[in-house]
Amino acid sequence: IVVEFSLPGGVVLIHLANALLLLGVLVYVAVSASAIGTPEPAERAGRASLSKLTAIAAGATYILALSGALVVETKSSAGCDGWPLCGGGFQLPASQMDVIDMVHRTVAGVVVVLIGIAMGIVLRRSRGDVGIRRSAIVVNIVLLLQIAAGALVVVLRLPAGVQALHIALASLLWAMVVTVAVLARGREHAVVADQVQAQRAAPRSRTAEVAST
């Protein structure tokens, strides 16, 4: 419909938002079904808090991808001719296009820090979980590539085809952060299951001790 009727940019942005949501759902289903790298109970300690942190990181990544799409749709990437700021990299925005571009860069900066912290915590707390550690490492690699691509698009005035790579990396980053979030959520459920099982087993063990005496 978007292509056939040449719908305005706002509708195109909604189209991308739906596409990213669909990608996230597919990643969720695939990772949940595969149950990669489920750790032993001893390796699950302290894992519950990762679920909320990685979910926040995934949501922030989604917002970042949409803000980048807005920059492309409004052609605001041609506004600032410097990086990380405008005018050689050290001036504040002067036009509406500059403002849109700088808002995206500000969002990107905050999200990059958030993702970096989240993946660092994931790596530190998941030493025995190969699946989630590998996913977190891939997130960090894609994040670095995305930062480099964003800077090169601005500094070198790269063509639209290369700008599309920047958007593709954003989609990949979103998918990988969702992967980590799903894995962390699965580990949290495993922690809860272990606790419930332990609580159910405790009365039985006491009963057995009383019976033996």
Side-chain angles (χ1 to χ4, degrees):
I1 295 176
V2 170
V3 176
E4 180 68 22
F5 295 100
S6 300
L7 297 180
V11 180
V12 176
L13 189 61
I14 294 174
H15 178 59
L16 175 62
N18 290 333
L20 288 176
L21 284 177
L22 177 60
L23 176 61
V25 171
L26 292 175
V27 170
Y28 176 85
V29 172
V31 176
S32 298
S34 62
I36 300 173
T38 302
E40 294 300 324
E43 298 292 339
R44 294 172 183 158
R47 193 69 56 82
S49 61
L50 291 181
S51 178
K52 293 182 180 179
L53 179 61
T54 53
I56 292 174
T61 307
Y62 181 74
I63 295 174
L64 174 59
L66 293 185
S67 70
L70 179 62
V71 170
V72 174
E73 180 60 36
T74 58
K75 296 180 174 58
S76 298
S77 58
C80 288
D81 58 354
W83 194 88
L85 300 179
C86 304
F90 300 100
Q91 295 180 9
L92 295 177
S95 66
Q96 182 177 1
M97 293 175 61
D98 293 350
V99 171
I100 294 175
D101 196 7
M102 284 307 305
V103 168
H104 168 63
R105 296 185 193 184
T106 302
V107 172
V110 173
V111 174
V112 164
V113 173
L114 176 60
I115 294 176
I117 293 174
M119 295 306 111
I121 294 175
V122 168
L123 290 172
R124 182 163 54 86
R125 295 188 182 179
S126 307
R127 299 183 186 279
D129 191 335
V130 177
I132 197 170
R133 283 181 61 84
R134 286 179 178 174
S135 299
I137 292 173
V138 172
V139 167
N140 289 333
I141 294 173
V142 175
L143 186 62
L144 293 176
L145 291 175
Q146 178 70 330
I147 295 172
L152 291 176
V153 165
V154 174
V155 174
L156 302 180
R157 295 293 177 182
L158 297 178
V162 181
Q163 294 181 20
L165 175 62
H166 185 47
I167 298 177
L169 285 172
S171 300
L172 177 59
L173 180 63
W174 155 249
M176 290 309 306
V177 175
V178 170
T179 298
V180 174
V182 173
L183 289 174
R185 179 180 173 83
R187 304 314 186 256
E188 179 179 356
H189 287 174
V191 171
V192 174
D194 287 343
Q195 293 174 347
V196 171
Q197 186 176 2
Q199 291 173 357
R200 290 177 177 176
R204 296 177 183 175
S205 62
R206 295 194 192 99
T207 302
E209 291 176 0
V210 171
S212 62
T213 56

